[in-house]
């Protein structure tokens, strides 16, 4: 009906609603029939009683000639022997170096894919066959019809809903090229790093160092035009020029003249996979990549030869294998080399996130206090000065010495109160083998005492030393399972039988016994989870304390929706989660949330599917559940979506918006609730610091000057920053039928961050988005417990399970049970 009305208005010559400064969007109809929001042009200043001056990590760029032309060239590289096979990044780098030295003479910069950028359109096309080592390649290079300039990007700011990506990509590629040409610069992903001084090396584990680096990027802004954004990065690197044997032994693996155990072999394969090594006996330097630790030793015969690996090395290279029974290293080229003859190459990043302790160690060592943050990025800017100078010289530009400042506004913090509506929570504690009875009794006593302090009534039943919990679970209790090294995924799969299960690791209780200060907070967090899973609501906000920003919005029924999608790297299907308030959103009684899990295979040759494919059916089910619970249909839907980048707004968000509209009209022809859609993300490099060197306080919102142009968007510090430099959440209001305005969005989003059921303080994300993220994470754990042994070929084969079958296996039986809390 919205599309029909828009078409009727268009045909009658009626003017479309003008763009608004308050987040209002009108509907247009594209050729594909998708409802396209008319995105908001300008941001509205927040109405608060207090403002604060903030320093950013961005410097302004000024071009002497905004019309300088940047030309695009296309390059194609193929192997003569296997033209259908995609070349590796290393092969492409070697080919480009050869082409650049022979023909280009550094006149073009390459994006390490298929595009090159240059300031000249006179370079002759290339169609050559080149030989590198023993391999032969066919290379084609030609000028395309496309050209751009900084003026195209400047002129687009403030006039179009989508910024042109071509000039933005061109400027970023030229900037990155200029920086990585410097001496001793190592590029890892999108960051630039230098090896630390020998007396300043921080070790994460034996043989793994922590390097500091910088990421830079061209960023258009609403108030300052084109800027360069600087952010400090940290990356683990392998200690170079160290023998592989020493590295392995330093990581507590024993290397004797015997085969490794199967468990040690698998663990060592996981540690070494992907590392770059060179054989110490080779006459010329060679760069090889480790695939795994083989089950073969040096007595293994080489195919098509009469020699073993040991005798071959002795004949050809005059080297003696001292531990011939030890497993050999298998390389990606299928060759086998004994461990003692390999050496690690320097300057190679280490990307593995081994475990929670490893990740926590990196976070702790990479935290930068806000008072040191600006000094760090000033040093980073100075460190990259030669590359920045080259960039400015190429494009006739100047980069400001300082960093841009802006004004933030501090929102009032609402007073939350605990408001459990449960008469009693029946808990059954199940202690697995290895959990001492006195420790479980201590946990039970502290849980009861903490519940009394927060006026929550609980009854506790205990059983000890259980091997298999399946026969001990109760459908009438909340089963609290305590054990060592719990297999969380397999235990949570039992919820399919209608049980409610909460897991507690035994080490958490022993830590409480040693540190009595953490007892109350730990117990309250467990009780908060149990209360919500029992159907209660933890937090409420007294109505009289809420400001005038809520207006008349909640006089009609409102449904709050949150959604997220998680992906795998092994070809497994993506998992989407959508949660929505089960009744009209209520400030004074909190809100419980219904959920729906959806499994979706990627389409075509794509590795994953970002948008929620079955959104229409998901919303129909959730809308029906809302109606069953309240006997009314929501008049307004506020939809928060996580994990979508700016480049996916048109293809992802609008598809889901259209699906929500279709779900409403499919339930009832004239049912057209007003919909508002907000995208939120924390995966960005924007930072703000107060002028006195401290983090912005909780409730600080930035909505002017340094926000993205051409969208209604804002940054919000909703959490109290405990360590390091705070990262605000970035919100884009892309569609707003409800005409709510910036004043509402800032305050309501901040309020949702204070109503997160699992925490006693405000968090960095709105509660419904956090719940969708947790539902994805919990479903992912269940999926891995059920299908973790399958490989990529299984998921690409014809016998893979149906999406509905997987959904049924990983979804709890009780649809009202907030299992993800």
């Amino acid at each position: 009906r919205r599309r029909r009305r828009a078409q009727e208005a268009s045909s009658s010559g009626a003017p479309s609603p003008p763009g608004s400064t308050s987040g209002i969007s009108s509907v247009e109809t594209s050729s594909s029939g998708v409802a396209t929001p008319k995105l908001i042009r300008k941001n509205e200043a927040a109405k608060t009683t207090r403002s604060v001056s903030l320093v950013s990590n961005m410097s302004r760029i000024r071009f002497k000639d905004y019309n300088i032309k940047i030309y695009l060239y296309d390059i194609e590289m193929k192997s003569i022997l296997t033209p259908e096979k995609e070349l590796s990044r290393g092969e492409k780098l070697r080919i480009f170096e050869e082409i650049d030295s022979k023909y280009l003479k550094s006149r073009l910069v390459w994006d390490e894919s298929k595009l090159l950028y240059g300031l000249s359109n006179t370079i002759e096309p290339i169609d050559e066959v080149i030989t590198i080592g023993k391999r032969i390649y066919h290379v084609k290079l030609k000028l395309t019809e496309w050209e751009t300039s900084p003026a195209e990007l400047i002129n687009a700011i403030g006039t179009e809903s989508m910024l042109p990506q071509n000039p933005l990509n061109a400027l970023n590629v030229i900037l990155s090229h200029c920086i990585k040409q410097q001496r001793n610069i190592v590029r890892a992903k999108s960051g630039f790093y230098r090896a630390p001084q020998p007396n300043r090396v921080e070790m994460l584990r034996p043989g793994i160092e922590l390097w500091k680096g910088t990421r830079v990027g061209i960023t258009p802004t609403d108030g300052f035009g084109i800027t360069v954004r600087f952010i400090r990065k940290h990356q683990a690197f392998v200690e170079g020029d160290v023998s592989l044997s020493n590295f392995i032994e330093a990581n507590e693996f024993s290397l004797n003249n015997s085969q490794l155990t199967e468990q040690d072999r698998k663990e060592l394969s996981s540690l070494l996979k992907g590392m770059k090594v060179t054989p110490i006996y080779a006459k010329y330097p060679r760069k090889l990549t480790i695939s795994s630790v083989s089950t073969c030793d040096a007595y293994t015969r080489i195919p098509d030869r009469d020699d073993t690996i040991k005798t071959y090395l002795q004949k050809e290279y005059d080297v003696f294998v001292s531990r011939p029974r030890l497993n050999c290293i298998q390389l990606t080229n299928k060759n086998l080399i004994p461990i003692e003859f390999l050496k690690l190459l320097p300057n190679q990043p280490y990307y593995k996130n081994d475990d929670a302790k490893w990740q926590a160690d990196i976070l702790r060592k990479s935290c930068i206090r806000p008072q040191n943050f600006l000094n760090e990025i000033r040093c980073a800017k100075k460190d990259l000065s030669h590359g920045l100078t080259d960039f400015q010289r190429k494009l006739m530009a100047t980069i400001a010495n300082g960093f841009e400042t802006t004004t933030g506004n501090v929102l009032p913090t609402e007073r939350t109160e605990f408001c459990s509506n449960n008469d009693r929570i029946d808990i059954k504690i199940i202690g697995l083998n290895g959990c001492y009875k006195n420790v479980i009794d201590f946990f039970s006593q502290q849980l009861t005492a903490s519940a009394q302090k927060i006026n929550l009534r609980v009854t506790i039943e205990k059983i000890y030393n259980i091997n298999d919990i399946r026969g001990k679970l109760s459908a009438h209790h909340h089963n609290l399972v305590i054990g060592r090294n719990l297999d969380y995924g397999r235990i949570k799969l039992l919820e399919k039988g209608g049980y409610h299960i909460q897991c507690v690791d035994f080490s958490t209780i022993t830590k409480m016994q040693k540190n009595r200060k953490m007892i109350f907070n730990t117990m309250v967090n467990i009780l908060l989870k149990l209360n919500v899973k029992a159907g209660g609501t933890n937090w409420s906000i007294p109505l009289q304390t809420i400001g005038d920003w809520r207006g008349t919005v909640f006089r009609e029924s409102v449904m709050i929706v949150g959604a997220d999608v998680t992906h795998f790297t092994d070809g497994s299907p993506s998992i989407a989660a959508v949660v929505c308030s089960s009744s009209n959103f209520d400030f004074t009684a909190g809100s419980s949330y219904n959920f729906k899990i959806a499994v979706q295979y990627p389409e075509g040759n794509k590795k994953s599917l970002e948008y929620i494919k079955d959104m229409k059916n998901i919303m129909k089910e959730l809308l029906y559940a809302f109606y069953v619970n309240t006997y009314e249909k929501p008049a307004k839907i506020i939809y928060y979506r996580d994990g979508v980048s700016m480049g996916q707004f048109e293809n992802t968000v609008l598809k889901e918006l259209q699906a929500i509209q279709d779900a409403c009209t499919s339930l009832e022809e004239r049912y057209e609730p007003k919909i508002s859609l907000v995208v939120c993300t924390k995966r960005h490099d924007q930072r703000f610091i107060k002028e006195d060197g401290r983090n912005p306080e909780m409730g600080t919102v930035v909505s002017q000057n340094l926000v993205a142009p051409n969208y209604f968007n804002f940054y919000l510090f909703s959490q109290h920053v405990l360590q390091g430099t705070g990262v605000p959440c970035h919100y884009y209001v892309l569609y707003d039928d409800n005409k709510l305005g910036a004043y509402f969005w800032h305050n309501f989003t901040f309020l949702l961050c204070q109503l997160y059921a699992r925490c006693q303080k405000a968090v960095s994300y709105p509660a419904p988005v956090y719940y969708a993220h947790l539902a994805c994470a919990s479903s992912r754990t269940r999926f891995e417990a059920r299908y973790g042994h399958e490989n990529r070929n299984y998921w690409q084969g014809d016998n893979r399970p149906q999406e509905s079958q997987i959904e049924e296996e990983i979804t709890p039986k009780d649809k009202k049970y907030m299992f993800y809390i």
Side-chain angles (χ1 to χ4, degrees):
R1 292 175 66 87
R2 289 189 180 92
R3 290 197 296 272
R4 186 165 64 250
R5 288 173 183 172
Q7 290 168 353
E8 290 172 356
S10 176
S11 61
S12 64
S16 59
S20 169
T21 63
S22 61
I24 304 170
S25 55
S26 61
V27 179
E28 296 178 347
T29 305
S30 65
S31 59
S32 61
V34 177
T36 305
K38 188 173 182 178
L39 300 178
I40 297 89
R41 264 295 313 122
K42 291 291 182 182
N43 291 307
E44 180 182 328
K47 300 177 183 178
T48 58
T49 57
R50 188 159 54 95
S51 61
V52 60
S53 183
L54 302 172
V55 182
S56 73
N57 57 334
M58 308 167 81
S59 294
R60 198 182 313 195
I61 299 179
R62 291 184 176 88
F63 294 89
K64 294 180 182 177
D65 182 6
Y66 282 89
N67 295 310
I68 185 170
K69 296 294 183 183
I70 303 175
Y71 300 95
L72 175 67
Y73 290 78
D74 180 73
I75 187 169
E76 184 180 359
M77 311 177 194
K78 290 184 177 180
S79 171
I80 294 292
L81 297 177
T82 55
E84 72 285 349
K85 185 179 179 181
E86 180 71 17
L87 299 179
S88 67
R89 180 176 176 271
E91 287 179 298
K92 290 180 179 180
L93 285 171
R94 289 191 290 273
I95 293 170
F96 180 75
E97 288 172 0
E98 184 74 14
I99 292 294
D100 189 50
S101 61
K102 278 188 177 182
Y103 305 104
L104 303 180
K105 308 299 182 185
S106 301
R107 290 177 293 172
L108 297 179
V109 297
W110 180 43
D111 70 348
E112 299 186 4
S113 180
K114 296 181 179 180
L115 303 178
L116 297 98
Y117 300 93
L119 303 179
S120 170
N121 62 348
T122 60
I123 296 175
E124 294 294 328
I126 299 173
D127 190 351
E128 297 288 341
V129 174
I130 64 171
T131 302
I132 300 177
K134 297 180 180 180
R135 299 185 180 183
I136 306 173
Y137 303 95
H138 184 202
V139 181
K140 290 183 179 180
L141 184 142
K142 63 179 180 179
L143 176 68
T144 67
E145 297 178 354
W146 176 88
E147 63 181 44
T148 189
S149 66
E152 183 181 347
L153 189 58
I154 287 290
N155 294 335
I157 294 176
T159 59
E160 298 180 7
S161 61
M162 286 289 290
L163 289 174
Q165 292 300 304
N166 287 333
L168 193 58
N169 292 339
L171 292 174
N172 272 312
V173 171
I174 295 173
L175 175 62
S176 297
H177 174 80
C178 293
I179 292 175
K180 71 183 180 183
Q181 296 303 307
Q182 298 181 72
R183 289 184 59 190
N184 302 325
I185 284 282
V186 180
R187 186 169 185 182
K189 292 186 177 178
S190 56
F192 301 95
Y193 300 86
R194 290 187 193 273
Q197 298 294 328
N199 59 340
R200 295 187 177 182
V201 175
E202 284 193 82
M203 302 300 295
L204 292 170
R205 64 161 42 165
I208 305 294
E209 304 171 341
L210 184 66
W211 289 18
K212 290 183 179 181
T214 309
R215 182 160 66 195
V216 297
I218 304 295
T219 308
T221 61
D222 187 46
F224 297 115
I226 301 177
T227 62
V228 178
R229 180 185 287 160
F230 298 84
I231 190 72
R232 206 60 160 152
K233 303 296 292 183
H234 293 78
Q235 175 63 49
F237 275 79
V238 178
E239 185 180 4
D241 293 325
V242 175
S243 71
L244 188 60
S245 299
N246 291 343
F247 175 80
I248 293 172
E249 289 175 339
N251 280 277
E252 299 180 355
F253 287 92
S254 179
L255 299 183
N256 302 314
N257 188 20
S258 60
Q259 285 272 318
L260 296 169
T261 64
E262 184 63 16
Q263 181 179 352
D264 283 351
R265 188 188 69 81
K266 289 181 177 180
E267 291 179 2
L268 189 55
S269 292
S270 177
L271 175 67
L272 300 181
K273 185 177 181 179
M275 286 190 179
K276 305 294 188 294
V277 292
T278 184
I280 60 176
Y281 55 75
K283 297 179 181 178
Y284 305 101
R286 297 182 63 191
K287 187 176 181 180
L288 306 171
T289 304
I290 295 176
S291 173
S292 64
V293 178
S294 174
T295 55
C296 302
D297 56 24
Y299 289 117
T300 303
R301 291 199 169 273
I302 301 174
D304 302 328
R305 298 180 67 100
D306 294 332
D307 295 329
T308 62
I309 297 174
K310 178 182 178 182
T311 55
Y312 171 77
L313 291 174
Q314 195 165 1
K315 289 179 182 178
E316 295 292 329
Y317 299 99
D318 195 24
V319 292
F320 178 74
V321 181
S322 59
R323 290 176 281 195
R325 292 293 181 188
L326 183 62
N327 305 61
C328 290
I329 295 294
Q330 182 167 354
L331 306 171
T332 52
N333 61 7
K334 307 301 182 183
N335 289 342
L336 296 171
I337 299 181
I339 292 176
E340 60 192 278
F341 296 130
L342 293 174
K343 183 174 70 172
L344 291 169
L345 290 173
N347 302 334
Q348 56 172 311
Y350 182 80
Y351 291 123
K352 296 181 179 64
N353 293 326
D354 290 356
D355 49 37
K357 184 179 178 182
W358 162 268
Q359 296 176 29
D361 195 29
I362 291 181
L363 288 174
R364 181 176 55 82
K365 291 185 177 180
S366 61
C367 273
I368 305 174
R369 293 182 178 180
Q371 58 263 36
N372 299 330
F373 177 80
L374 289 178
N375 293 332
E376 289 270 357
I377 60 174
R378 285 192 188 102
C379 293
K381 191 174 179 182
K382 184 178 179 181
D383 194 38
L384 303 176
S385 59
H386 294 296
L388 295 175
T389 302
D390 195 24
F391 171 76
Q392 296 176 74
R393 188 178 66 252
K394 282 179 180 289
L395 292 169
M396 294 185 290
T398 56
I399 299 177
N401 291 325
F403 296 102
E404 302 299 333
T405 60
T406 189
T407 300
N409 297 283
V410 182
L411 304 175
T413 303
E414 308 294 353
R415 180 169 61 88
T416 56
E417 297 177 350
F418 184 71
C419 67
S420 173
N421 51 2
N422 280 317
D423 295 332
R424 186 183 69 189
I425 302 177
D426 298 322
I427 302 172
K428 183 176 184 179
I429 298 179
I430 303 174
L432 300 183
N433 276 347
C435 301
Y436 305 118
K437 180 178 182 298
N438 62 328
V439 176
I440 293 177
D441 290 339
F442 166 80
F443 176 82
S444 174
Q445 293 169 5
Q446 296 299 330
L447 193 67
T448 303
S450 300
Q452 290 175 351
K453 290 180 181 179
I454 62 174
N455 297 322
L456 191 65
R457 186 182 171 199
V458 299
T459 63
I460 296 178
E461 176 186 334
K462 294 175 286 185
I463 55 176
Y464 308 95
N465 298 323
I466 302 300
N467 287 323
D468 189 353
I469 67 172
R470 282 175 290 187
K472 303 298 180 180
L473 295 173
S474 171
H476 307 291
H477 291 74
H478 291 274
N479 302 277
L480 204 155
V481 181
I482 301 175
R484 300 175 186 266
N485 303 317
L486 292 172
D487 191 344
Y488 178 80
R490 293 201 175 278
I491 292 175
K492 297 294 279 185
L493 279 174
L494 299 176
E495 289 181 332
K496 189 176 179 297
Y499 304 110
H500 295 180
I501 302 175
Q502 175 70 45
C503 296
V504 177
D505 195 274
F506 186 76
S507 62
T508 302
I509 306 175
T510 56
K511 287 178 184 177
M512 287 193 299
Q513 287 182 311
K514 296 177 182 177
N515 184 5
R516 294 284 175 143
K517 293 181 180 180
M518 64 180 289
I519 290 177
F520 181 72
N521 284 336
T522 303
M523 290 300 172
V524 168
N525 286 341
I526 293 173
L527 289 168
L528 289 177
K529 295 179 182 182
L530 293 173
N531 183 50
V532 171
K533 290 181 177 182
T537 54
N538 288 343
W539 306 114
S540 69
I541 297 178
L543 205 59
Q544 63 272 17
T545 68
I546 300 176
D548 60 349
W549 54 266
R550 59 191 173 95
T552 61
V553 176
F554 296 95
R555 291 181 183 176
E556 299 176 286
S557 60
V558 179
M559 185 169 80
I560 312 297
V561 182
D564 193 14
V565 180
T566 185
H567 307 291
F568 294 87
T569 59
D570 61 352
S572 304
S574 301
I575 298 176
V578 182
V579 303
C580 76
S581 52
S582 58
S583 59
N584 182 27
F585 185 81
D586 190 353
F587 296 98
T588 59
S591 186
S592 59
Y593 287 79
N594 294 325
F595 70 91
K596 175 63 178 175
I597 303 299
V599 176
Q600 48 193 37
Y601 287 109
E603 298 173 338
N605 296 325
K606 295 181 179 179
K607 293 183 179 179
S608 61
L609 194 63
E610 182 55 47
Y611 76 92
I612 302 176
K613 183 170 58 175
D614 200 29
M615 191 64 171
K616 178 180 176 180
N617 292 326
I618 291 172
M619 283 304 299
K620 283 176 64 176
E621 183 175 328
L622 294 176
L623 285 166
Y624 180 75
F626 185 96
Y627 180 79
V628 168
N629 196 41
T630 63
Y631 298 102
E632 62 179 347
K633 300 183 292 292
K636 299 172 183 176
I637 297 175
I638 299 178
Y639 177 39
Y640 282 88
R641 178 68 158 88
D642 185 24
V644 180
S645 64
M646 188 182 295
Q648 297 171 319
F649 284 171
E650 299 291 337
N651 295 327
T652 298
V653 176
L654 295 187
K655 288 182 179 179
E656 294 175 7
L657 172 62
Q658 177 65 45
I660 296 173
Q661 293 172 340
D662 290 345
C664 295
T665 54
S666 66
L667 290 173
E668 186 178 320
E669 184 180 355
R670 296 185 179 181
Y671 176 46
E672 298 178 1
K674 295 179 180 179
I675 301 172
S676 298
L677 189 152
V678 185
V679 169
C680 50
T681 179
K682 287 193 73 176
R683 294 186 178 182
H684 59 79
D685 292 336
Q686 187 63 58
R687 302 291 184 270
F688 297 101
I689 295 175
K690 294 171 68 174
E691 289 188 331
D692 60 3
R694 293 183 298 169
N695 277 310
E697 56 193 286
M698 186 174 69
T700 301
V701 63
V702 179
S703 59
Q704 297 288 316
N705 297 329
L706 290 175
V707 295
N710 303 3
Y711 290 106
F712 168 34
N713 64 111
F714 58 93
Y715 294 94
L716 174 62
F717 287 88
S718 56
Q719 78 282 19
H720 177 69
V721 182
L722 298 177
Q723 62 178 356
T725 303
V727 182
C729 189
H730 195 183
Y731 298 89
Y732 296 86
V733 182
L734 297 183
Y735 188 80
D736 193 3
D737 266 349
N738 293 294
K739 305 180 182 180
L740 298 175
Y743 188 43
F744 173 88
W745 284 116
H746 297 166
N747 285 275
F748 181 64
T749 302
F750 184 36
L751 179 141
L752 287 178
C753 297
Q754 300 172 63
L755 293 177
Y756 179 56
R758 271 177 46 163
C759 189
Q760 302 173 55
K761 297 182 179 180
V763 292
S764 59
Y765 264 35
V769 179
Y770 225 132
Y771 295 153
H773 175 75
L774 291 175
C776 278
S778 181
S779 300
R780 181 185 182 122
T781 305
R782 298 159 193 259
F783 177 87
E784 289 173 338
R786 173 64 181 84
Y787 293 101
H789 59 282
E790 306 294 354
N791 57 25
R792 181 182 295 272
N793 293 331
Y794 174 79
W795 296 111
Q796 294 177 349
D798 297 332
N799 295 325
R800 67 184 186 183
Q802 296 293 320
E803 295 168 340
S804 57
Q805 177 186 341
I806 302 174
E807 291 170 13
E808 185 179 352
E809 290 180 341
I810 66 175
T811 304
K813 182 179 180 180
D814 186 354
K815 300 298 182 182
K816 295 183 179 180
Y817 169 51
M818 296 175 67
F819 71 93
Y820 41 83
I821 293 295

